[in-house]
Amino acid sequence: MDGKRIPIVTDVKMTEADQKAYQINNSARKKGITHEEMVKVYNNWADKYDNDLRPGLYNGPEIVVNALTDCLTKDKRRNLKLLDVAAGTGRVGELLLKIGFECSMDALDPAEKMLDILKSKGIYKRTWHDSIGYHQTEIPKDEYDVVLSAGAMAEGHIPVAAIDEMVRILKPGGILITIIREEYLTKIEEYTGKLEHCFQKLVNEKKIKLVSRTVVPNYSFQNNGVVYIYEALSTK
Ligand SMILES: C[S@@+](CC[C@H](N)C(=O)[O-])C[C@H]1O[C@@H](n2cnc3c(N)ncnc32)[C@H](O)[C@@H]1O
């Protein structure tokens, strides 16, 4: 892959179909939605998800893959074991394959129908049909070199507690990458004052160190995103 970046589509004019996608996307993250209700929305949307959330409207996978490309030095890009958390239909994996990223990819997601589409693409090795952040997963500790997620932080989705679990399953020296819509840091109770506090606590405990925190434009429906990259420490 050696530095290959995915172009980010920015000049998007919302069509009528896009407006519908926008509404479904919002319905999966409406205020007060339970985790179970959210999973149902994705299961019902799975067949149309890739088509509806086209690049430009939603650039989460592209942004996260570029972040991974940027933060790994050339010598660290081989033989990696990666977990795509909230992998959905597997768009992150498709992009990593497209740019020739050499790694073994696993996926974790609670929405079975999304995972069916992901499996049909034949990119991921193992799939964990599970949610992260509500209980400890069956994944052994220190399992992955890279744990990343796109589009996973929203009402009813990944709670802050998922960060501890992601760090648990990362190998020392491993990389954690996640992204959140910037406005959710102040608009969603689960994250307000809590997400960044959680990262800072893990930094203070010498479990992780900050690699970068970057605000990016055009993450989702023209909203900014905040990309967090942390490295797991040997003292974790
Ligand atoms: C907007 S989609 C993003 C899918 C994919 N990462 C992408 O960028 O296209 C959100 C996905 O997060 C999954 N999800 C939500 N909460 C989760 C949790 N706690 N653990 C794992 N996956 C979760 C949903 O099932 C859904 O497939």
Side-chain angles (χ1 to χ4, degrees):
M1 67 181 241
D2 292 357
K4 272 187 220 161
R5 299 187 100 248
I6 314 272
I8 306 289
V9 180
T10 55
D11 54 341
V12 170
K13 290 202 175 60
M14 292 267 279
T15 63
E16 218 171 286
D18 294 337
Q19 293 290 353
K20 277 191 191 143
Y22 181 65
Q23 279 163 16
I24 302 173
N25 191 54
N26 279 349
S27 73
R29 57 194 60 214
K30 66 178 184 222
K31 194 166 169 41
I33 192 167
T34 65
H35 190 64
E36 293 68 28
E37 288 165 346
M38 180 274 314
V39 170
K40 258 190 204 160
V41 176
Y42 284 109
N43 274 333
N44 290 331
W45 194 16
D47 287 341
K48 296 205 171 124
Y49 175 90
D50 282 350
N51 197 44
D52 282 0
L53 276 197
R54 62 189 168 88
L57 287 184
Y58 170 58
N59 292 315
E62 288 77 5
I63 292 170
V64 162
V65 166
N66 284 345
L68 181 62
T69 306
D70 293 347
C71 82
L72 286 185
T73 53
K74 220 169 154 186
D75 57 311
K76 282 193 180 166
R77 290 178 193 160
R78 308 260 180 269
N79 304 317
L80 296 173
K81 191 165 180 190
L82 176 149
L83 180 69
D84 183 2
V85 170
T89 56
R91 281 165 66 166
V92 166
E94 278 182 274
L95 291 175
L96 286 171
L97 192 68
K98 193 170 162 186
I99 62 169
F101 202 100
E102 286 178 36
C103 65
S104 158
M105 286 180 247
D106 292 349
L108 180 140
D109 202 288
E112 207 167 357
K113 301 278 184 223
M114 296 288 271
L115 285 181
D116 286 346
I117 308 269
L118 175 145
K119 286 180 199 161
S120 73
K121 294 176 183 171
I123 296 167
Y124 292 81
K125 204 166 171 186
R126 170 157 199 183
T127 53
W128 303 90
H129 179 217
D130 200 358
S131 298
I132 198 164
Y134 297 95
H135 51 258
Q136 186 167 308
T137 64
E138 286 173 17
I139 302 171
K141 77 190 243 292
D142 301 349
E143 182 72 2
Y144 291 104
D145 300 290
V146 177
V147 173
L148 53 70
S149 74
M153 291 201 172
E155 190 87 18
H157 284 58
I158 284 192
V160 170
I163 304 297
D164 290 299
E165 178 65 357
M166 289 180 182
V167 172
R168 187 186 69 80
I169 62 180
L170 262 179
K171 291 179 191 170
I175 296 290
L176 164 64
I177 302 180
T178 192
I179 181 167
I180 186 169
R181 219 189 258 195
E182 190 179 28
E183 63 175 5
Y184 290 171
L185 287 173
T186 49
K187 285 193 178 155
I188 295 184
E189 209 188 318
E190 175 62 26
Y191 307 119
T192 305
K194 296 176 189 150
L195 180 65
E196 298 206 340
H197 180 266
C198 171
F199 281 130
Q200 192 52 49
K201 185 170 174 283
L202 291 166
V203 168
N204 295 345
E205 291 169 355
K206 301 204 176 348
K207 293 187 173 168
I208 55 172
K209 77 169 182 199
L210 178 66
V211 176
S212 61
R213 178 197 188 276
T214 315
V215 178
V216 292
N218 297 299
Y219 166 44
S220 182
F221 293 95
Q222 293 171 348
N223 289 288
N224 285 351
V226 185
V227 184
Y228 299 94
I229 307 182
Y230 284 91
E231 184 183 321
L233 298 176
S234 55
T235 42
K236 84 181 181 74

